[in-house]
Amino acid sequence: MKRAVSSIRSRHVARLAAAATAASPAAAEAWDGRFRLHKPRGQHLLTNPRVLDAIARRAALRPGDAVLEVGPGTGNLTVRLLESPAARVSAVEIDPRMVDAVTARVDALGLAHKLTVIRADAVEAEFPEFDVCVANIPYGISSPLIAKLLFGPYRFRAATLLLQKEFARRLVAAPGDSEYNRLAANVRMVADARLLMDVSKRDFVPMPKVDSSLVEIRPRAAAPDVDLAEWLAFTRSCFGQKNKTLGAIFKQKRKVLELFRRSHGAKERDNANAGGGGSLIALGGGDDDGDMSDGDSNGSYDGAASFSEEEVAVFKAKIAGALESSELAGKRPSKLSNDELLRLLKLLNEQGVRFQ
């Protein structure tokens, strides 16, 4: 049975290779319907040659570069990356049908020596070392993939990502913009992001419901002077109700009790983990407005019951004092720069307030 399945798969790959060899470059980019594309999984193939050329050009690949491509599909962009000055391309693809298609196409073009295909979930897989990431990624994994790239162990020069247009606008938003949110604040802490160009939904097969935008993300050379896990947890608290002022957010009984529990739990964790390392918490989604995480709906938190009301009141006063010192109590988080938010976080930490 295994031998029969292997034989069928081999014949299928051979047919793909023959088709790739016979097709003209322009025809090879068009979708021939050889298998069903799953729209719910975000399988939309970019087929416009001019847009594909522009993405490869914008990636600004250099001789010797190692390229990471996420979601190669049938290889429309992959081929251009392989034909660039880059030394090699590692493509991460979860769909075995796409793996067969891109492998056959690259084999037929004589470029297989530069390509490594990793069949895996891009969010879960361990990436090889790379200098540049280029990706036309499914919309559903945009936020976790960016979090993995920027807050994981990877060191790279730039990422050129094709994203849903609305998501891209939120990603590059600046303080004061209507789209400014937690995602933008967190990305700005470690990288610079900018829009490169818009891409019409008509350039994809099957056509998605929305347009896309190409974004460049460049990590900063110097790491920020902040505990990133603490910062990520802090911005979650701030942007959970981003249209409220910071004073209103941090005077809520529910929020005070949450932070009281976390702060006293943090002391225990610090004692238990002295000398050890910790893992980064994941980057959140693009807009967390209205999200209030942790704790029961009635405002009761494990750990708070073992302390007196006086202790909680003293803790609340410390939060109020930090807000007063920062002069940010009347400000909305969506209007503040990272420097201002970072100043508030440091004042709160000095008062023993912890967010993770």
Side-chain angles (χ1 to χ4, degrees), residues 55-68 81 84-88 128-134 149-150 153-161 190-194 196 215-222:
I55 293 174
R57 184 172 63 254
R58 294 279 195 164
L61 301 178
R62 304 171 184 173
D65 273 348
V67 181
L68 174 70
L81 300 177
S84 77
R88 63 185 186 277
E129 291 185 3
F130 63 96
D131 301 296
V132 176
C133 176
V134 182
L149 292 173
L150 293 180
Y154 307 104
R155 299 292 176 265
F156 59 97
R157 187 171 72 247
T160 304
L161 309 177
V190 296
D192 296 311
R194 65 184 182 115
L196 297 178
V215 172
E216 180 189 69
I217 301 175
R218 286 187 173 270
R220 297 204 181 100

XYZ file of all heavy atoms in Angstrom, residues 55-68 81 84-88 128-134 149-150 153-161 190-194 196 215-222:
400
model
N 7.843 43.061 -5.290
C 8.129 42.536 -3.949
C 9.572 42.044 -3.874
O 10.296 42.338 -2.914
C 7.151 41.412 -3.592
C 5.731 41.974 -3.454
C 7.570 40.716 -2.289
C 4.675 40.915 -3.242
N 9.991 41.289 -4.885
C 11.371 40.795 -4.908
C 12.361 41.954 -4.935
O 13.408 41.904 -4.272
C 11.572 39.880 -6.110
N 12.028 42.992 -5.661
C 12.917 44.160 -5.744
C 12.964 44.899 -4.407
O 14.025 45.319 -3.944
C 12.431 45.084 -6.862
C 13.326 46.288 -7.115
C 12.899 47.054 -8.341
N 11.556 47.623 -8.220
C 10.478 47.154 -8.847
N 10.579 46.096 -9.645
N 9.300 47.724 -8.696
N 11.796 45.065 -3.780
C 11.718 45.775 -2.503
C 12.436 45.030 -1.378
O 12.876 45.639 -0.394
C 10.258 45.962 -2.110
C 9.470 46.875 -3.040
C 9.702 48.329 -2.717
N 8.709 49.194 -3.357
C 8.485 50.439 -3.027
N 9.179 50.992 -2.035
N 7.586 51.174 -3.652
N 12.552 43.721 -1.514
C 13.261 42.941 -0.499
C 14.740 43.285 -0.445
O 15.411 43.026 0.564
C 13.072 41.448 -0.752
N 15.261 43.861 -1.531
C 16.650 44.355 -1.590
C 17.650 43.290 -1.147
O 18.481 43.525 -0.259
C 16.796 45.618 -0.742
N 17.575 42.130 -1.769
C 18.456 41.025 -1.398
C 19.876 41.267 -1.876
O 20.104 41.822 -2.958
C 17.910 39.718 -1.981
C 16.498 39.347 -1.518
C 16.039 38.066 -2.187
C 16.447 39.208 0.000
N 20.828 40.835 -1.070
C 22.243 41.042 -1.355
C 22.931 39.708 -1.636
O 22.447 38.651 -1.227
C 22.915 41.712 -0.153
C 22.287 43.020 0.280
C 22.887 43.479 1.603
N 22.247 44.692 2.114
C 22.492 45.202 3.304
N 23.390 44.615 4.119
N 21.863 46.288 3.711
N 24.069 39.757 -2.299
C 24.828 38.527 -2.526
C 25.150 37.849 -1.196
O 25.595 38.492 -0.245
C 26.094 39.011 -3.229
C 25.682 40.279 -3.897
C 24.691 40.914 -2.975
N 24.894 36.557 -1.135
C 25.190 35.796 0.074
C 24.070 35.748 1.084
O 24.169 35.038 2.092
N 22.981 36.479 0.852
C 21.874 36.488 1.813
C 21.223 35.111 1.947
O 21.071 34.370 0.959
C 20.786 37.485 1.384
C 21.063 38.894 1.884
O 21.953 39.063 2.729
O 20.366 39.828 1.421
N 20.826 34.816 3.175
C 19.958 33.669 3.440
C 18.547 34.221 3.599
O 18.314 35.120 4.403
C 20.389 32.942 4.708
N 17.607 33.704 2.817
C 16.240 34.219 2.789
C 15.292 33.211 3.413
O 15.372 32.007 3.131
C 15.794 34.528 1.346
C 14.373 35.094 1.326
C 16.762 35.493 0.680
N 14.396 33.698 4.248
C 13.316 32.883 4.790
C 12.025 33.317 4.112
O 11.633 34.481 4.197
C 13.197 33.079 6.304
C 11.992 32.390 6.966
C 12.175 30.874 6.967
C 11.788 32.898 8.387
N 12.947 34.968 -5.829
C 13.935 35.026 -4.748
C 15.151 34.172 -5.090
O 16.297 34.551 -4.821
C 13.305 34.554 -3.436
C 12.099 35.361 -2.934
C 11.539 34.729 -1.663
C 12.476 36.813 -2.689
N 17.489 35.819 -7.527
C 18.143 37.025 -6.999
C 19.592 36.709 -6.617
O 20.022 35.558 -6.677
C 17.376 37.508 -5.764
O 17.685 36.687 -4.646
N 20.360 37.710 -6.161
C 21.735 37.451 -5.714
C 21.825 36.625 -4.425
O 22.932 36.245 -4.029
C 22.298 38.857 -5.488
C 21.423 39.773 -6.270
C 20.069 39.164 -6.216
N 20.706 36.379 -3.763
C 20.730 35.634 -2.498
C 21.375 34.263 -2.681
O 21.281 33.643 -3.742
C 19.314 35.471 -1.955
N 22.012 33.789 -1.611
C 22.708 32.505 -1.681
C 21.755 31.329 -1.587
O 21.943 30.301 -2.247
C 23.749 32.423 -0.565
N 20.723 31.469 -0.749
C 19.806 30.345 -0.558
C 18.472 30.851 -0.016
O 18.387 31.930 0.555
C 20.406 29.316 0.405
C 20.648 29.835 1.811
C 21.360 28.785 2.663
N 21.494 29.195 4.066
C 22.439 29.976 4.528
N 23.349 30.448 3.686
N 22.502 30.302 5.805
N 15.493 28.344 10.410
C 16.959 28.390 10.276
C 17.422 29.837 10.326
O 16.608 30.763 10.279
C 17.191 27.780 8.883
C 15.947 28.093 8.130
C 14.822 28.017 9.138
N 18.718 30.048 10.416
C 19.242 31.416 10.404
C 18.927 32.067 9.058
O 18.991 31.429 8.010
C 20.752 31.413 10.640
C 21.153 31.003 12.054
C 22.657 31.135 12.285
O 23.345 31.599 11.352
O 23.119 30.782 13.373
N 18.593 33.348 9.100
C 18.267 34.064 7.865
C 18.605 35.539 8.020
O 18.684 36.069 9.127
C 16.791 33.884 7.505
C 15.826 34.448 8.523
C 15.284 35.715 8.369
C 15.465 33.708 9.646
C 14.407 36.236 9.308
C 14.585 34.221 10.588
C 14.057 35.488 10.428
N 18.823 36.187 6.874
C 19.110 37.622 6.850
C 17.871 38.445 6.539
O 17.710 39.552 7.047
C 20.186 37.921 5.796
C 21.475 37.179 6.068
O 22.102 37.453 7.111
O 21.858 36.317 5.252
N 17.017 37.904 5.685
C 15.817 38.609 5.242
C 14.653 37.628 5.226
O 14.798 36.482 4.785
C 16.009 39.214 3.832
C 14.716 39.868 3.351
C 17.145 40.232 3.831
N 13.505 38.075 5.703
C 12.276 37.288 5.607
C 11.373 37.938 4.574
O 11.178 39.153 4.582
C 11.566 37.214 6.966
S 9.971 36.358 6.907
N 10.832 37.128 3.671
C 9.869 37.597 2.672
C 8.666 36.679 2.744
O 8.828 35.451 2.702
C 10.469 37.586 1.247
C 9.465 38.134 0.242
C 11.761 38.379 1.191
N 8.956 36.645 14.950
C 10.132 37.239 14.322
C 10.808 38.259 15.232
O 12.032 38.260 15.400
C 9.746 37.897 13.001
C 9.312 36.975 11.854
C 8.795 37.798 10.684
C 10.452 36.072 11.400
N 9.998 39.153 15.831
C 10.565 40.283 16.570
C 10.890 39.971 18.024
O 11.796 40.573 18.592
C 9.601 41.470 16.510
C 9.411 42.100 15.132
C 8.438 43.266 15.219
C 10.734 42.555 14.541
N 14.208 34.477 19.095
C 15.674 34.518 19.147
C 16.340 34.923 17.832
O 17.559 34.883 17.720
C 16.033 33.064 19.488
C 14.942 32.260 18.833
C 13.693 33.101 18.944
N 15.547 35.328 16.846
C 16.090 35.535 15.505
C 16.713 36.914 15.339
O 16.191 37.906 15.833
C 14.984 35.311 14.460
C 14.300 33.980 14.633
C 13.027 33.893 15.197
C 14.956 32.800 14.290
C 12.413 32.664 15.392
C 14.351 31.569 14.481
C 13.087 31.513 15.040
O 12.491 30.289 15.246
N 17.828 36.946 14.610
C 18.520 38.189 14.301
C 18.573 38.320 12.781
O 19.212 37.523 12.105
C 19.937 38.180 14.897
C 19.949 38.059 16.410
C 19.383 39.308 17.070
N 19.300 39.166 18.519
C 18.208 38.775 19.174
N 17.107 38.476 18.498
N 18.203 38.679 20.488
N 17.906 39.323 12.251
C 17.823 39.471 10.801
C 17.797 40.947 10.433
O 17.567 41.823 11.276
C 16.580 38.758 10.259
C 15.278 39.252 10.839
C 14.504 40.183 10.175
C 14.823 38.773 12.065
C 13.313 40.640 10.708
C 13.625 39.222 12.611
C 12.866 40.159 11.929
N 18.045 41.228 9.158
C 18.152 42.611 8.691
C 16.788 43.247 8.427
O 16.553 44.403 8.785
C 18.993 42.645 7.409
C 19.305 44.051 6.931
C 20.310 44.038 5.791
N 19.783 43.546 4.515
C 20.157 42.419 3.930
N 21.079 41.640 4.502
N 19.642 42.041 2.780
N 15.902 42.487 7.793
C 14.606 43.065 7.435
C 13.603 41.962 7.134
O 13.973 40.830 6.786
C 14.748 43.985 6.222
N 12.328 42.305 7.265
C 11.232 41.424 6.864
C 10.321 42.211 5.928
O 9.886 43.317 6.266
C 10.459 40.924 8.072
N 10.058 41.653 4.757
C 9.157 42.262 3.790
C 7.915 41.387 3.727
O 7.966 40.265 3.215
C 9.826 42.374 2.403
O 11.053 43.108 2.531
C 8.918 43.085 1.417
N 6.804 41.891 4.263
C 5.620 41.071 4.488
C 4.411 41.628 3.752
O 4.140 42.838 3.806
C 5.300 40.990 5.988
C 6.446 40.601 6.914
C 5.986 40.644 8.371
C 6.982 39.217 6.567
N 10.796 47.674 19.319
C 11.963 46.895 18.891
C 12.310 47.055 17.412
O 13.329 46.534 16.958
C 11.744 45.391 19.192
C 11.631 45.152 20.690
C 10.501 44.856 18.486
N 11.466 47.744 16.643
C 11.698 47.787 15.198
C 11.078 49.031 14.576
O 10.261 49.726 15.204
C 11.106 46.533 14.539
N 11.465 49.301 13.340
C 10.852 50.350 12.531
C 10.039 49.672 11.430
O 10.531 48.748 10.763
C 11.911 51.256 11.908
C 12.708 52.020 12.959
O 12.074 52.611 13.850
O 13.954 52.002 12.889
N 8.810 50.128 11.234
C 7.940 49.543 10.209
C 7.422 50.640 9.293
O 7.107 51.740 9.741
C 6.779 48.797 10.858
N 7.339 50.317 8.000
C 6.819 51.312 7.051
C 6.087 50.611 5.912
O 6.390 49.458 5.555
C 7.940 52.181 6.482
C 8.956 51.423 5.626
C 10.094 52.323 5.188
N 11.058 51.620 4.338
C 11.285 51.909 3.064
N 10.614 52.894 2.473
N 12.188 51.240 2.358
N 5.174 49.977 2.092
C 5.902 50.067 0.828
C 4.959 50.292 -0.349
O 5.220 51.125 -1.211
C 6.724 48.795 0.601
C 7.822 48.516 1.631
C 8.526 47.207 1.305
C 8.834 49.658 1.665
N 4.635 45.617 3.610
C 5.237 46.332 4.736
C 6.671 45.862 4.929
O 6.974 44.670 4.779
C 4.430 46.085 6.021
C 5.143 46.655 7.239
C 3.042 46.700 5.897
N 7.546 46.793 5.263
C 8.921 46.452 5.631
C 9.113 46.679 7.125
O 8.754 47.733 7.648
C 9.916 47.302 4.860
C 11.376 46.991 5.210
C 12.345 47.983 4.596
O 12.356 49.153 5.024
O 13.069 47.582 3.677
N 9.678 45.681 7.807
C 9.999 45.787 9.231
C 11.502 45.601 9.389
O 12.057 44.602 8.930
C 9.255 44.725 10.059
C 7.739 44.883 9.887
C 9.636 44.821 11.534
C 6.935 43.804 10.587
N 12.135 46.576 10.045
C 13.581 46.495 10.281
C 13.848 46.524 11.787
O 13.636 47.577 12.427
C 14.310 47.651 9.593
C 14.391 47.497 8.085
C 15.254 48.559 7.448
N 15.451 48.285 6.033
C 16.439 47.562 5.528
N 17.343 47.058 6.350
N 16.532 47.351 4.234
N 14.318 45.425 12.357
C 14.634 45.421 13.793
C 15.736 46.422 14.106
O 16.655 46.629 13.312
C 15.120 43.980 14.039
C 14.575 43.186 12.899
C 14.542 44.113 11.730
N 15.631 47.039 15.263
C 16.664 47.977 15.691
C 17.890 47.207 16.173
O 17.783 46.124 16.749
C 16.131 48.872 16.801
C 14.970 49.740 16.339
C 14.821 50.979 17.180
N 13.677 51.754 16.700
C 12.481 51.750 17.270
N 12.276 51.006 18.345
N 11.490 52.467 16.775
N 19.049 47.803 15.945
C 20.298 47.131 16.317
C 20.435 46.995 17.826
O 20.898 45.970 18.327
C 21.483 47.894 15.745
N 20.016 48.025 18.557
C 20.159 48.017 20.017
C 18.860 47.578 20.672
O 17.780 48.062 20.324
C 20.548 49.408 20.517
